[in-house]
């Protein structure tokens, strides 16, 4: 059964927080499979509608079938218009383009191997590596596709995360005025990045902490906030260089901050180099996707 793919602890949380039981799961999956949003073609073809493909949409929307169906539609429509996504749909370009994405944008995101005390996976983004201020919009847009692929990889390889969600740590170290100016002049690319992840991925984003924010952060946030849903805005908190606040989020009341420092990047008070973390993430992501011939 689908519920057997997650741990007993996650099953209990799914029941308490999402209303997931054997009965509700079976009923909602049956309803979702025949919903017009699921049976409709996207990009000229009908998408997989097996239980393992649909359950993540139900969990992301607390088993509200209509909301899950809307998310399914948003996921497939937004994915199709991500820059160069078509390169991943063709077996002739798929593997080479994956490697190109990893080479160009692998320094942007790191995913820790260890979940936090609530079972949430930890995604760290270094915003200064997410785009080049001298580039045109289309040259920077593939970074959003890389982020999308990483979250998809997590959903497929860590089923418990469909219940527990993720913690996002945004590290703004070295974020420059020229990068702010680029965002200011490319609002469409900024909107695509935010809404593709927020509205298109069946992911429970439980907490966002922003570290090392520059003096211009208030202006950056003024650009970003109109695209954020209220619930997500409420989960954002800046910590500047008070890195212990990040460790409290991850560790709860276990008082094991030193253990976290051993696996966190130096830029947020840890002991590991950023390159070591991103190289590990890139390798894990490529190992997963290179099993296939296309998406």
């Amino acid at each position: 059964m689908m519920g057997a793919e997650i741990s007993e602890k996650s099953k209990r949380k799914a029941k308490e927080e999402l209303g997931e039981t054997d009965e509700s799961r079976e009923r909602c999956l049956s309803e979702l499979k025949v919903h017009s949003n699921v049976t409709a073609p996207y990009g000229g073809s009908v998408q997989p509608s097996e239980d393992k493909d649909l359950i993540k949409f139900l969990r992301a929307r607390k088993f509200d079938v209509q909301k899950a169906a809307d998310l399914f539609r948003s996921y497939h429509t937004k994915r199709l218009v991500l820059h160069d996504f078509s390169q991943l749909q063709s077996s002739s370009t798929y593997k080479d383009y994956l490697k190109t994405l990893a080479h160009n944008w692998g320094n942007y995101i790191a995913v820790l191997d260890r979940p936090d005390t609530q079972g949430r996976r930890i995604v760290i983004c270094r915003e200064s590596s997410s785009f080049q201020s001298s580039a045109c919009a289309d040259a920077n847009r593939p970074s959003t596709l890389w982020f999308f692929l990483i979250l998809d990889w997590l959903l497929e390889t860590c089923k418990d995360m469909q219940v527990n969600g993720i913690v996002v740590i945004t590290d703004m170290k070295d974020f420059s005025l020229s990068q702010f100016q680029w965002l200011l002049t490319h609002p469409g690319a900024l909107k695509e990045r935010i809404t593709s992840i927020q509205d298109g991925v069946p992911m429970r984003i439980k907490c966002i902490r922003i570290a090392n924010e520059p003096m211009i952060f208030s202006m950056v946030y003024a650009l970003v906030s109109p695209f954020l849903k209220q619930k997500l805005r409420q989960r954002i908190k800046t910590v500047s260089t008070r890195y212990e606040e990040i460790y409290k989020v991850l560790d709860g009341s276990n008082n094991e901050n030193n253990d976290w420092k051993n696996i966190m990047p130096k830029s947020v008070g840890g002991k590991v180099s950023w390159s070591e973390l991103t190289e590990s993430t890139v390798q894990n992501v490529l190992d997963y996707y290179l099993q296939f011939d296309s998406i």
Side-chain angles (χ1 to χ4, degrees), residues 16 40 44 49 55 57 65 78 98 132 176 196 198 209 215 221 232 252 256 275 285-286 290 295:
E16 294 169 3
S49 59
I55 188 65
F57 295 96
V65 174
K78 288 184 178 298
L98 266 177
Q132 300 171 357
S176 66
S196 295
Q198 172 185 256
R209 291 295 179 266
M215 292 182 65
Y221 186 72
L232 201 57
E256 295 179 355
S275 61
V285 172
L286 288 180
L290 290 176
I295 288 181

Side-chain angles (χ1 to χ4, degrees), residues 117-118 247-257 260:
T117 54
Q118 297 185 49
Y247 299 133
K248 287 178 182 177
V249 168
L250 304 181
D251 192 56
S253 58
N254 290 341
N255 296 316
E256 295 179 355
N257 286 3
W260 286 105

Side-chain angles (χ1 to χ4, degrees), residues 55 72-73 111 116 139 145 158 165 168 175 214 216 232 272 284 288:
I55 188 65
F72 183 94
R73 178 180 60 191
V111 179
D116 76 355
L145 177 56
C158 182
V168 177
F175 188 87
I216 58 172
L232 201 57
V272 186
N284 289 335
Y288 172 73

Side-chain angles (χ1 to χ4, degrees), residues 167-185:
V167 171
V168 177
I169 300 169
T170 299
D171 180 6
M172 297 196 70
K173 178 180 172 62
D174 298 327
F175 188 87
S176 66
L177 178 60
S178 62
Q179 288 181 306
F180 166 71
Q181 291 170 331
W182 189 93
L183 292 176
L184 190 64
T185 55

Side-chain angles (χ1 to χ4, degrees), residues 97-108 129-132 139 142-143 146:
Y97 190 64
L98 266 177
K99 294 174 183 177
T100 297
L101 280 174
H103 178 267
N104 291 344
W105 304 107
N107 199 44
Y108 171 27
S129 300
S130 66
F131 62 95
Q132 300 171 357
S143 65
W146 180 245

Side-chain angles (χ1 to χ4, degrees), residues 43-254:
S45 61
V46 176
Q47 302 303 309
S49 59
E50 298 177 12
D51 289 0
K52 65 180 181 64
D53 299 308
L54 295 180
I55 188 65
K56 58 190 176 186
F57 295 96
L58 286 168
R59 286 171 174 157
R61 292 297 181 263
K62 296 187 176 181
F63 284 79
D64 183 310
V65 174
Q66 182 58 53
K67 289 182 179 179
D70 290 342
L71 179 59
F72 183 94
R73 178 180 60 191
S74 182
Y75 170 84
H76 288 289
T77 55
K78 288 184 178 298
R79 191 175 69 157
L80 281 171
V81 298
L82 287 175
H83 191 69
D84 281 346
F85 180 73
S86 60
Q87 300 269 22
L88 301 177
Q89 293 179 294
S90 170
S91 59
S92 63
T93 55
Y94 173 73
K95 292 186 178 180
D96 284 342
Y97 190 64
L98 266 177
K99 294 174 183 177
T100 297
L101 280 174
H103 178 267
N104 291 344
W105 304 107
N107 199 44
Y108 171 27
I109 299 169
V111 179
L112 299 190
D113 292 333
R114 172 183 170 183
D116 76 355
T117 54
Q118 297 185 49
R120 304 174 297 192
R121 294 302 296 269
I122 303 156
V123 179
I124 309 173
C125 305
R126 178 163 285 182
E127 288 303 320
S128 62
S129 300
S130 66
F131 62 95
Q132 300 171 357
S133 58
S134 60
C136 66
D138 281 354
N140 282 325
R141 287 176 63 199
S143 65
T144 300
L145 177 56
W146 180 245
F147 199 171
F148 201 99
L149 289 174
I150 284 179
L151 295 182
D152 245 357
W153 159 68
L154 282 172
L155 285 165
E156 292 302 316
T157 59
C158 182
K159 303 297 185 182
D160 282 24
M161 197 193 64
Q162 296 176 6
V163 175
N164 299 322
I166 62 172
V167 171
V168 177
I169 300 169
T170 299
D171 180 6
M172 297 196 70
K173 178 180 172 62
D174 298 327
F175 188 87
S176 66
L177 178 60
S178 62
Q179 288 181 306
F180 166 71
Q181 291 170 331
W182 189 93
L183 292 176
L184 190 64
T185 55
H186 296 82
L190 175 62
K191 180 179 180 180
E192 179 185 60
R193 174 174 300 180
I194 294 170
T195 59
S196 295
I197 304 305
Q198 172 185 256
D199 304 328
V201 181
M203 179 75 67
R204 305 185 73 205
I205 302 175
K206 304 297 291 181
C207 174
I208 300 175
R209 291 295 179 266
I210 301 173
N212 302 315
E213 63 273 20
M215 292 182 65
I216 58 172
F217 176 74
S218 60
M219 294 187 288
V220 176
Y221 186 72
L223 290 178
V224 170
S225 61
F227 304 124
L228 296 173
K229 291 181 177 178
Q230 181 179 1
K231 181 182 288 187
L232 201 57
R233 286 200 299 267
Q234 293 172 341
R235 293 177 178 175
I236 296 174
K237 183 178 180 181
T238 58
V239 301
S240 187
T241 56
R242 302 184 304 278
Y243 306 133
E244 66 277 3
E245 294 189 22
I246 294 175
Y247 299 133
K248 287 178 182 177
V249 168
L250 304 181
D251 192 56
S253 58
N254 290 341

